[in-house]
Amino acid sequence: MTAPRLLAEAAARGWTIGVAESLTGGLVTAALVAVPGASRVLRGGIVAYATDLKTGLLGVDADLLAERGAVDEAVAAQMAAGIRTATGADVGLATTGVAGPDPQDGQGPGVVFVAVSTPVASEVQRLDLDGDRSKVIADSVRGVLDMALLLVSETSGEKFNTPHEVS
């Protein structure tokens, strides 16, 4: 499982984690909390399901949200940066997307953006996921945790640009 490894890697670097969630509704934070000792690393999480909360709680640019909607890579990046500020964490994880069954903001079900921001690198990835609502949400959780593990465990501080597949 990725959550224990992510927490261990962050702890080894002396980093803390904050989580900003939309479509995952707190499940990323729950996956981290399920690991014994998570409180040494996890600062907290914000479920900003409503679009206006992304601005009010996470500092996402209101004009960006008005122009592109909440399901957007720049929004995910700002959510990841914003949760770092909101929680005082070193690492920010963010999820935004469409779990379905209906489209949102011009994006179809399964379109998800996950973002991770660390002191040395930031990355956003688009995930095009198949399955019903619960599968899209579960794969989104797995996707952001996998990406965070890669960025947090990377020792050179280089930005990852490799495509990410979620099975």
Side-chain angles (χ1 to χ4, degrees), residues 64 68-77 79 96-97 105 107 111 113 124:
L64 173 67
R68 296 189 191 173
V71 184
D72 180 80
E73 81 177 303
V75 170
M79 288 173 66
T96 187
D105 297 330
Q107 302 285 2
V111 174
F113 293 94
V124 176

Side-chain angles (χ1 to χ4, degrees), residues 115-153:
V116 177
S117 175
T118 78
V120 295
S122 294
E123 182 176 344
V124 176
Q125 292 179 347
R126 176 182 169 139
L127 306 177
D128 293 295
L129 304 171
D130 293 319
D132 64 11
R133 183 176 177 81
S134 61
K135 183 163 179 8
V136 168
I137 291 170
D139 287 348
S140 299
V141 170
R142 194 168 18 263
V144 75
L145 291 174
D146 287 348
M147 186 171 71
L149 179 60
L150 285 174
L151 284 175
V152 169
S153 63

Side-chain angles (χ1 to χ4, degrees), residues 48-74:
Y49 204 65
T51 300
D52 62 310
L53 294 180
K54 290 172 180 64
T55 298
L57 297 176
L58 298 171
V60 176
D61 183 86
D63 291 335
L64 173 67
L65 284 164
E67 179 183 322
R68 296 189 191 173
V71 184
D72 180 80
E73 81 177 303

